[in-house]
Amino acid sequence: MNLEEIKQCAPGEIKACKDAKALEAIRVKYLGRKGELTAALRTLKDLSQPKRRSVGQRANKLKNELELLLEGRLREFARESSQYKETIDITAPGKRVRLGHLHPLTKIGREAKQIFSSMGFAVMDGPEIETEYYNFDALNIPPNHPARDLWDTFWLRQNETKNQRPKTKNTERLLLRTHTSPVQIRYMETHEPPFQIIVPGRVFRYEATDASHEINFYQIEGLMVSKTVSLANFKYVVESFFKQLFNRAVNIRLRPSYFPFVEPGIEVDVSCTRCSGWGCSICKQTGWLEVMGAGMVHPHVFEAAHYNPRDWQGFAFGMGLDRIAMLKYNIPDIRLFYSGDLRFIRQF
Ligand code: FA5
């Protein structure tokens, strides 16, 4: 083989080697004592002086190149075999498996359900995508009524909702429910009193966020209807609920308020357990945190559900679960619940 032929063949053969033994055979073939390149170098002495010089330089250069290629390929074999060893290294320490756990909102939701169940309330469910009828009209909030402004609404696009309207209702617009109160109507349409239910669920509001407001949060609706239910029953139920949830008596206060679907309407505040009433960012320096709206079911709501308001009376409430979780777990900002920050979640 002359130098040109060696240059053509040797690199390909080195690359094609599968192991160190085959590589050694190639080295001997070209660079060994009787190898092709060694033989070519031996012929140098037969050449004329100037030719000997240039061929000699080329031959030495080729020799260096082949040695580098052989070394490189040998290193590749070493790397491959050490990788292989790592995968079967039985002395390597095991990987720690982290156990997941429930989100604080799931925890408090389960606890609340359990407490209300122990007081005889049945747990119901309703859709998160709601019709305008159930979210507003049936709750005594007619179109264009200013009370609709109390609930900043995510409306769903009209053209996507065609033909989904319940034919008997006076509206077909769909929205993300702004509260769990629509389930009051849905439940009463298909059940006869007396009954007492709670409806835990997710609600949505198109509003600015701050330490105590989110655009997506959880409520628990309550509805108790019979011939004699009164606000005194409501007060007892709510106080018992908080006592069990917080494992101690907490101060609550009832304030007159307005909701179109109750009369009279009230709002319930709980004394801020984070600052013990001194004032902080959660309670907006007031010492109290508003946790629910409530009241006696409005006669128009009973009528929408085809009950005779002269026969029945009841209380309803809608409590913000996130805010109660903030009080119970001493959480300064509602947005932490939805941040997905594991440093926060892992504390519970
Ligand atoms: C209502 O949603 C009424 N449906 C409650 C009701 C039910 C009244 C039955 C009468 C009878 P309100 O908008 O106030 O009311 O919300 C109820 C509770 O949800 C509030 O007290 C508060 O605890 C919580 N809440 C309201 N907005 C937010 C928000 N953006 N982020 C977190 N929690 C909120």
Side-chain angles (χ1 to χ4, degrees):
M1 272 179 149
N2 61 32
L3 288 185
E4 255 337 286
E5 286 167 338
I6 296 172
K7 200 173 176 180
Q8 288 290 315
C9 302
E13 288 175 35
I14 292 171
K15 207 162 179 213
C17 280
K18 293 272 180 286
D19 54 33
K21 202 172 161 198
L23 199 64
E24 176 59 13
I26 299 294
R27 193 192 66 76
V28 172
K29 177 178 170 189
Y30 289 102
L31 303 179
R33 255 187 332 123
K34 294 180 185 167
E36 299 289 349
L37 191 63
T38 319
L41 283 168
R42 273 201 198 112
T43 62
L44 285 179
K45 60 178 184 340
D46 306 328
L47 299 174
S48 62
Q49 180 68 18
K51 217 167 176 196
R52 189 188 311 164
R53 198 181 155 93
S54 83
V55 175
Q57 276 174 354
R58 275 172 48 215
N60 273 325
K61 191 166 170 248
L62 184 58
K63 188 173 174 229
N64 288 339
E65 281 170 9
L66 292 187
E67 276 170 354
L68 279 178
L69 283 177
L70 286 163
E71 267 173 40
R73 191 78 185 111
L74 203 59
R75 266 201 303 275
E76 275 174 27
F77 290 146
R79 239 191 341 263
E80 280 164 18
S81 70
S82 73
Q83 266 169 12
Y84 175 68
K85 264 187 212 136
E86 253 168 41
T87 61
I88 57 159
D89 181 4
I90 56 166
T91 63
K95 283 192 183 140
R96 192 162 155 221
V97 179
R98 267 188 187 275
L99 283 184
H101 59 79
L102 296 177
H103 190 278
L105 287 175
T106 310
K107 266 179 157 170
I108 197 144
R110 288 189 179 183
E111 226 174 305
K113 276 192 259 183
Q114 191 269 320
I115 296 171
F116 278 113
S117 300
S118 75
M119 289 194 272
F121 283 76
V123 181
M124 293 298 142
D125 203 7
E128 288 175 1
I129 293 180
E130 192 49 281
T131 64
E132 186 176 12
Y133 173 78
Y134 284 110
N135 199 80
F136 291 124
D137 303 53
L139 289 169
N140 199 29
I141 316 173
N144 306 320
H145 192 286
R148 285 204 180 189
D149 297 344
L150 295 176
W151 291 276
D152 297 304
T153 309
F154 287 108
W155 293 96
L156 298 183
R157 272 225 298 273
Q158 198 84 8
N159 54 4
E160 288 173 1
T161 64
K162 265 186 193 151
N163 305 327
Q164 293 178 9
R165 164 195 180 195
K167 292 214 166 41
T168 52
K169 307 303 176 200
N170 63 359
T171 178
E172 65 173 8
R173 288 214 286 169
L174 292 186
L175 47 84
L176 294 180
R177 68 176 174 191
T178 57
H179 49 179
T180 41
S181 300
V183 191
Q184 288 186 30
I185 306 290
R186 289 184 176 277
Y187 185 81
M188 287 194 283
E189 279 179 343
T190 51
H191 295 81
E192 288 296 319
F195 60 76
Q196 51 203 52
I197 59 163
I198 57 157
V199 186
R202 193 175 185 185
V203 302
F204 309 85
R205 297 213 186 152
Y206 181 46
E207 62 184 21
T209 63
D210 62 24
S212 57
H213 289 83
E214 252 298 352
I215 56 165
N216 146 137
F217 58 100
Y218 289 84
Q219 284 190 339
I220 294 188
E221 191 79 8
L223 179 64
M224 182 171 187
V225 178
S226 80
K227 291 202 181 292
T228 55
V229 168
S230 72
L231 269 186
N233 299 123
F234 167 73
K235 189 162 175 270
Y236 175 78
V237 165
V238 167
E239 274 176 347
S240 310
F241 170 75
F242 283 126
K243 202 169 163 189
Q244 291 186 59
L245 190 77
F246 290 108
N247 284 326
R248 63 187 163 97
V250 284
N251 289 331
I252 64 166
R253 77 177 180 189
L254 309 184
R255 284 181 289 113
S257 186
Y258 170 70
F259 297 95
F261 34 94
V262 285
E263 181 58 40
I266 52 178
E267 263 172 340
V268 181
D269 298 338
V270 173
S271 60
C272 184
T273 52
R274 180 159 182 258
C275 63
S276 310
W278 286 96
C280 66
S281 63
I282 303 185
C283 62
K284 300 217 170 77
Q285 315 303 330
T286 63
W288 296 92
L289 193 65
E290 177 211 311
V291 289
M292 70 170 90
M296 295 301 288
V297 180
H298 197 287
H300 289 174
V301 173
F302 280 143
E303 279 162 6
H306 308 295
Y307 286 6
N308 184 344
R310 291 176 197 281
D311 292 342
W312 302 108
Q313 60 186 46
F315 67 73
F317 63 83
M319 102 170 72
L321 197 61
D322 305 57
R323 294 209 185 154
I324 289 164
M326 288 167 79
L327 287 176
K328 174 149 179 161
Y329 300 126
N330 210 353
I331 292 166
D333 197 313
I334 190 172
R335 290 165 292 196
L336 286 167
F337 287 129
Y338 305 95
S339 64
D341 188 337
L342 291 179
R343 290 169 305 176
F344 167 72
I345 303 288
R346 283 192 183 131
Q347 293 175 50
F348 298 92

